Amino acid sequence: MTILQKIFSIVRVNSMQKCITVLGLKFFYYTFGSLSETIKSIIMQNKINLDKYIQAKSIVVFIEILPYRMCGGQMSLFTLCKYSKEIFGEDVPVVMTTMPGNITYFHNDWFNNDIDILRWNQVRKIIRNKNKVILHIPEVCLFLPEVEKEFFYSRLKNKDYNVFKKINDMRINILNQNIELMPDNKYIDKLKSITNNITQSVAHSRYCTQEVADTWKLPVTLFSGFIEVPKVKKINLAKKERLILFSPDLPPQGFRFKEYFITKLIRKLPTYSVERIFKVKFEDYAKLTAKASFVISFGEGFDGYFNNSALLGTVGFSVYNEDFFPGSEWQNYPNVYADFDEMLEKIVGDIKRLENNEEEYYTIVKQHETELIKLYSKQKTIEKLKQFYNGIYDYYPIEENSNGN
């Protein structure tokens, strides 16, 4: 170790946190984007004419999920923003912004979209003296479990509160896209210093319930997790690559279990390539999924890795999770397992059976695809958004019901 390294060093703690050591003193900070990208983005953001936003009487603001450029929650967020723009047209501007702080970026290039991203300083200027502001905040922007850190509320400054208190109708909607990531009430209660008009929207029908409304003491509405899958050519099973894809998530059993699982696939299925889906743009991911023979989700179960597979003509395997699957009937699907131990035990045999049975293979794909079409569509998402913007929710907290609301 050099003298300089003893005096000053930077090390990565995890994927989002670094530690600077100066003369033995440690300073931790979070890395969600680069300084060079921020500088370039500010130049582009400054070229946007904000006049129409400033002059509008009402505005809808979405806060994007900066740490996760490419994930289902992020794409769902952009879809909701896009459809909100379609609903309001020129009457009410709809904008996307990064969280308060020094890091920003201008465009998300991981999937197709035409949404430019503003920085919070611009939004603060835009919402000043508005009659009505609806602010959509993803749950992980309130509290990010990965680093156990509170973000949005802790980054607000006095000048933000000075702007908030002058808004006649200030409304905050928490985007509860993953029930397991929804923060405790103590983090939500802090938002009441901004407004008491707080709601939550959920991405899965399974937790659009009275219980969820009562637990967080917030009205609940369902925003379907519809994401437009890129139009790519579907490939017949006989012409597919002998390729098994798996998601980057960790199962509850942890890394060693997943490592053993993948090792077993490689050993028992030597004619297949086994690859992780990681750091690939959405369109490229769709093409890769279409040409793969099978996809395995190690995540929440009823997720994009599992569901997009069917929409792209490929069998996806998953583990049943009662927090996310729409109903218990999905436990009877041949490509859904009771737990990861069962998946480990049976998946090799299931793959060998299906690779030689095209009729059963596509029966599974069609059944899965048909159910998804019933659940999700652009029309359904837009209808639910319209209800929400009109102040109509699916469930209200019992304490509010008792007051006649």
Side-chain angles (χ1 to χ4, degrees):
M1 182 180 291
T2 65
I3 295 176
L4 180 59
Q5 288 173 325
K6 290 180 180 179
I7 297 173
F8 176 86
S9 68
I10 301 178
V11 297
R12 182 176 292 278
V13 178
N14 55 46
S15 62
M16 296 182 186
Q17 191 176 32
K18 289 184 178 180
C19 175
I20 299 178
T21 302
V22 182
L23 294 175
L25 297 175
K26 293 185 177 182
F27 303 90
F28 293 90
Y29 67 101
Y30 299 92
T31 56
F32 298 139
S34 68
L35 179 59
S36 60
E37 182 185 37
T38 292
I39 293 171
K40 292 176 184 177
S41 297
I42 288 175
I43 293 172
M44 296 301 296
Q45 289 166 341
N46 287 345
K47 293 180 181 180
I48 298 176
N49 187 343
L50 302 179
D51 288 347
K52 66 177 181 179
Y53 303 139
I54 294 172
Q55 294 168 6
K57 295 180 179 179
S58 303
I59 195 165
V60 176
V61 179
F62 284 85
I63 296 182
E64 68 84 50
I65 314 172
L66 184 60
Y68 306 111
R69 300 282 180 93
M70 176 57 184
C71 68
Q74 182 79 299
M75 288 188 288
S76 177
L77 182 67
F78 274 68
T79 296
L80 295 174
C81 182
K82 174 185 175 180
Y83 292 166
S84 294
K85 286 175 176 284
E86 291 185 20
I87 290 169
F88 288 111
E90 297 297 320
D91 296 333
V92 177
V94 179
V95 300
M96 180 83 75
T97 178
T98 44
M99 276 194 298
N102 297 322
I103 299 297
T104 190
Y105 75 106
F106 181 63
H107 190 80
N108 193 323
D109 297 322
W110 284 95
F111 49 90
N112 291 333
N113 68 87
D114 59 358
I115 297 174
D116 294 331
I117 302 168
L118 302 177
R119 62 186 183 276
W120 182 254
N121 287 348
Q122 291 175 297
V123 170
R124 185 195 301 118
K125 179 180 179 181
I126 289 169
I127 65 175
R128 185 179 292 118
N129 297 322
K130 285 283 185 291
N131 288 338
K132 184 175 184 179
V133 173
I134 299 176
L135 180 61
H136 292 282
I137 306 178
E139 78 285 87
V140 292
C141 290
L142 296 180
F143 182 83
L144 186 58
E146 188 167 345
V147 292
E148 297 185 347
K149 180 72 175 179
E150 182 181 12
F151 282 104
F152 178 76
Y153 183 84
S154 64
R155 292 183 176 197
L156 295 175
K157 302 181 183 302
N158 287 334
K159 51 188 173 184
D160 292 309
Y161 289 104
N162 290 335
V163 169
F164 292 146
K165 68 183 182 182
K166 294 179 181 178
I167 298 170
N168 294 331
D169 183 358
M170 181 73 197
R171 179 175 167 194
I172 293 176
N173 179 57
I174 300 168
L175 292 155
N176 180 353
Q177 302 194 102
N178 184 329
I179 190 71
E180 295 175 354
L181 300 178
M182 187 66 172
D184 292 338
N185 280 320
K186 63 181 180 181
Y187 299 107
I188 295 169
D189 288 343
K190 291 182 179 182
L191 297 175
K192 293 178 181 177
S193 63
I194 301 172
T195 178
N196 286 317
N197 193 353
I198 303 173
T199 59
Q200 68 170 313
S201 58
V202 298
H204 295 85
S205 59
R206 197 57 181 265
Y207 53 92
C208 184
T209 64
Q210 185 64 53
E211 181 183 3
V212 168
D214 293 340
T215 298
W216 279 279
K217 299 180 177 61
L218 300 173
V220 175
T221 193
L222 174 66
F223 288 167
S224 77
F226 176 71
I227 297 173
E228 296 180 64
V229 176
K231 290 179 172 57
V232 301
K233 183 180 179 181
K234 294 183 179 180
I235 301 173
N236 186 275
L237 178 61
K239 295 182 179 180
K240 284 178 177 287
E241 293 185 12
R242 294 184 74 80
L243 171 65
I244 300 170
L245 300 174
F246 63 93
S247 75
D249 314 281
L250 277 182
Q253 293 93 329
F255 174 77
R256 289 190 179 278
F257 175 87
K258 185 175 181 180
E259 185 179 40
Y260 176 77
F261 192 111
I262 299 303
T263 301
K264 179 180 178 179
L265 289 181
I266 294 171
R267 187 177 71 253
K268 296 287 188 178
L269 300 167
T271 61
Y272 284 89
S273 296
V274 183
E275 299 179 10
R276 179 174 66 150
I277 303 168
F278 187 63
K279 288 191 175 180
V280 58
K281 290 186 177 182
F282 192 46
E283 188 167 349
D284 294 330
Y285 147 79
K287 292 177 182 177
L288 187 64
T289 298
K291 71 180 183 181
S293 296
F294 303 97
V295 177
I296 302 170
S297 170
F298 284 102
E300 64 194 43
F302 204 72
D303 55 16
Y305 298 108
F306 176 60
N307 289 328
N308 291 337
S309 300
L311 299 175
L312 294 164
T314 298
V315 166
F317 294 109
S318 187
V319 166
Y320 182 76
N321 184 327
E322 65 179 2
D323 286 336
F324 298 102
F325 275 82
S328 59
E329 68 277 6
W330 285 80
Q331 295 179 86
N332 300 319
Y333 281 38
N335 54 331
V336 177
Y337 301 95
D339 52 41
F340 282 100
D341 289 328
E342 184 187 37
M343 179 189 272
L344 176 64
E345 177 188 350
K346 294 182 177 180
I347 194 168
V348 170
D350 289 342
I351 288 174
K352 287 182 177 180
R353 186 185 75 256
L354 290 172
E355 69 181 2
N356 296 313
N357 192 331
E358 188 170 303
E359 182 178 354
E360 184 182 0
Y361 184 97
Y362 282 109
T363 296
I364 292 173
V365 170
K366 188 62 179 178
Q367 180 188 31
H368 191 168
E369 181 185 29
T370 300
E371 290 304 313
L372 292 176
I373 291 172
K374 291 179 186 176
L375 288 168
Y376 303 119
S377 70
K378 175 179 179 178
Q379 181 181 357
K380 287 182 179 179
T381 304
I382 288 178
E383 286 176 357
K384 295 301 293 186
L385 278 168
K386 286 181 177 179
Q387 289 179 13
F388 169 82
Y389 288 125
N390 286 324
I392 301 171
Y393 310 105
D394 295 319
Y395 295 95
Y396 297 80
I398 292 297
E399 61 180 14
E400 289 194 16
N401 285 334
S402 65
N403 293 328
N405 293 324

